[in-house]
Amino acid sequence: MALVDHEGLVVTANDALAALLGTEPAALCRQPAAGLVDLATDGRTWQAYREVLRGRRSRFRCTRRLKHADGHPVWAEVTVVPAPDGRRVLLSVADISDRRELQARLRHLQMHDPVTRLPNRTLFFERLSAALDSSSYEHGGTGRIGLCYLDLDGFKAVNDTLGHRVGDRLLTAVAGRLTECAEGDGRTRGGSHLVARLGGDEFAILVEDSTGTEQLADLARSVLAALQQPFDLSGQRLSVSASIGVVERAADGTSATGLMQDADTTLYWAKADGKARWTLFDPERNAHRMTRQALSSTLRPAVERGEFSLEYQPLVCMADGAVRGVEALVRWNHPQFGTLAPNRFIGIAEEDGSIVQLGRWILRTACRQARQWQTDHPADTPIFVSVNVAVRQVWDSDLVADVAGILAETGLAPHLLQLELTESAVMGSAGRPLQALQALSDMGVRIAIDDFGTGYSNLAYLSRLPVSVLKLDGSFVRGFRYDDGTHPNPADETIVEAMVQLAHRLGLTVTAECVETAGQAERLRRIGCDTGQGWLYSRAVAPDRIAGMIGVSPLAV
């Protein structure tokens, strides 16, 4: 421990602190405490420390990595609190090196496969998600990513005939050869590849900053050649082969789910084409395989089987960065094709009428979730949920009755529900659709026009519609680019500013979609845009992730 004056200088220190730092207590006197325990190297920590010194904060605690006088690192928990005399502060430093080492060991066990010692599925997806983060390519990377996804042909027969002990030895030997292939390619290409066991006899080689499909093809060939050499397992001589699905593409716009789905599909092709081979992902072949008819035939039963789930993307106040609401986005967890985004099946659902059943489920699930957040966070301002509605839902069902019944069932207040319709659908509304929108608005439900600015924009008609929110199409926001080195489009800014002013004069609020950079957000805020939505704040995430953002700026999470 040490007493520190309000200038941040050590007044006195005990023997334990001196020993922790490898010096004498007298040598610490009149030394800046922040320098001794590394409190000035990041702005947030330094600010919090200064607030305690000035009496504006009652307590501050952080973890720092210190260096002992003999050079070895020391992990320490640093606590700063006002001293009883009120004139100084008490600095307390606890050595937590053993705890950190234990945590590191436990994390290693949690993140690695016990049989092969390779990274497991959890660590693989953690590394994959980090690799797909665009910020990782801001400093000299290729901006591309590659994946070899493989499993062993006929591995089940090895387990069934020779036993799981031999099977485990084979997996360990396979892991060693895969690692050698990955390390050899990494040395040649100047990169570092991750080899992981995803489960069973499935392995993956992740290639960050890949140089193109030829690199992945060469790696796949070397893996096949290495695995075709016989294995000698304590007297058991085994020969195996593998099937490999290869995917290589730009990281920007690629999701972990999408990459794995395509890799899994390509692995399926390799097996279907005869095994013991590698196959490169072919978008045209994939599109042909996933025909509209195949999806349409399973869409209606999928609703009843509970194959759909919702993710939520935050709608953030441009003024203070707080989450004001979320947009509910449906995902189809297809048992054969993996997770499908709405653009793969909503059009089909609208054509065959199943959108009514699916839309009712989405509405009920989203309202129930919004009410749950409200119940779990009673001290915070409740956030609203925005749900997309197709025109066919208005024509083919009693949407007003559905909404009223679901609000009553879930206990969600009407003003916490926002319904989004496309511009062309709302602008062309007449008769029954217009009556339904008016009834919903009278009920207290907010109506939003989605993708505003892409349709024919009958502005005179807009003033007579029961609309409360305009969502600007992302094509306008993309013209606000500074962060990526491109010049902004002045025409886009002028158009957006005019639309915002028009909306405000009509008493409407404006949400900007596809906000991806801080520069875009600042310009939109300056223009007067009310709410932002986009990857700058968050992608669509699971409900539990949203719970952690309530009452907190997502940029601070």
Side-chain angles (χ1 to χ4, degrees), residues 57-71:
R57 182 169 176 159
S58 62
R59 186 181 187 87
F60 166 67
R61 176 178 291 170
C62 67
T63 300
R64 313 307 284 173
R65 188 175 186 267
L66 310 179
K67 180 179 284 189
H68 192 273
D70 65 8

Side-chain angles (χ1 to χ4, degrees), residues 312-323 325 477 511-525 529-541 545-546 549 552-557:
Y312 301 86
Q313 188 170 32
L315 297 163
V316 176
C317 176
M318 303 294 284
D320 60 11
V323 176
V477 178
T511 297
E513 298 177 302
C514 300
V515 182
E516 297 180 355
T517 69
Q520 289 173 327
E522 175 57 25
R523 292 163 68 80
L524 289 164
R525 185 196 61 78
C529 200
D530 304 287
T531 309
Q533 176 181 3
W535 287 0
L536 172 66
Y537 308 109
S538 173
R539 303 190 183 200
V541 295
R545 295 280 301 279
I546 295 295
M549 300 177 188
V552 181
S553 168
L555 294 179
V557 175

Side-chain angles (χ1 to χ4, degrees), residues 16 21 85 87 98 101-102 151 181 250 279 387 400 408 427 431 454 463 476 492 526 541:
L21 299 176
D85 61 14
R87 294 181 291 107
D98 290 344
E101 182 181 353
L102 177 59
D151 74 3
C181 291
T279 301
V387 178
V400 177
M427 288 300 187
T454 59
S463 64
F476 294 107
D492 282 342
R526 196 165 58 244
V541 295

Side-chain angles (χ1 to χ4, degrees), residues 68-80:
H68 192 273
D70 65 8
H72 77 267
V74 177
W75 281 98
E77 184 176 79
V78 180
T79 305
V80 185

Side-chain angles (χ1 to χ4, degrees), residues 361-417:
W361 177 86
I362 294 171
L363 186 63
R364 178 176 289 107
T365 304
C367 289
R368 185 182 296 120
Q369 181 60 66
R371 177 59 178 152
Q372 186 63 52
W373 285 323
Q374 186 179 6
T375 302
D376 293 344
H377 302 269
D380 294 309
T381 302
I383 62 174
F384 67 88
V385 64
S386 191
V387 178
N388 291 278
V389 175
V391 175
R392 188 157 184 177
Q393 290 177 255
V394 183
W395 282 108
D396 290 3
S397 68
D398 191 341
L399 181 62
V400 177
D402 286 346
V403 170
I406 289 172
L407 290 176
E409 172 188 332
T410 60
L412 186 69
H415 73 277
L416 296 179
L417 173 63

Side-chain angles (χ1 to χ4, degrees), residues 11-64:
V11 177
T12 180
N14 66 3
D15 293 340
L17 179 58
L20 186 67
L21 299 176
T23 186
E24 296 295 327
L28 300 178
C29 291
R30 307 307 297 168
Q31 293 289 324
L36 294 175
V37 290
D38 192 31
L39 298 181
T41 53
D42 81 76
R44 184 178 297 180
T45 300
W46 173 249
Q47 180 65 27
Y49 169 62
R50 296 293 295 173
E51 288 179 355
V52 177
L53 287 181
R54 294 168 183 169
R56 299 174 184 171
R57 182 169 176 159
S58 62
R59 186 181 187 87
F60 166 67
R61 176 178 291 170
C62 67
T63 300
R64 313 307 284 173

Side-chain angles (χ1 to χ4, degrees), residues 418-493:
Q418 175 174 291
L419 300 180
E420 294 185 23
L421 290 90
T422 60
E423 178 182 348
S424 57
V426 176
M427 288 300 187
S429 294
R432 181 175 177 181
L434 181 57
Q435 294 170 6
L437 294 181
Q438 187 63 60
L440 290 166
S441 179
D442 293 341
M443 191 188 301
V445 174
R446 297 196 290 185
I447 307 298
I449 299 180
D450 196 15
D451 300 329
F452 185 77
T454 59
Y456 52 81
S457 301
N458 186 337
L459 299 180
Y461 193 48
L462 176 63
S463 64
R464 297 192 292 271
L465 288 169
V467 172
S468 54
V469 181
L470 297 185
K471 296 190 72 175
L472 298 183
D473 184 70
S475 58
F476 294 107
V477 178
R478 292 188 189 99
F480 285 51
R481 299 305 291 261
Y482 266 130
D483 306 58
D484 61 356
T486 62
H487 296 290
N489 186 340
D492 282 342
E493 181 167 345

Side-chain angles (χ1 to χ4, degrees), residues 256-273:
T257 301
L259 187 71
M260 291 305 300
Q261 176 185 327
D262 292 343
D264 186 60
T265 297
T266 313
L267 174 59
Y268 171 83
W269 294 341
K271 286 189 170 296
D273 291 345

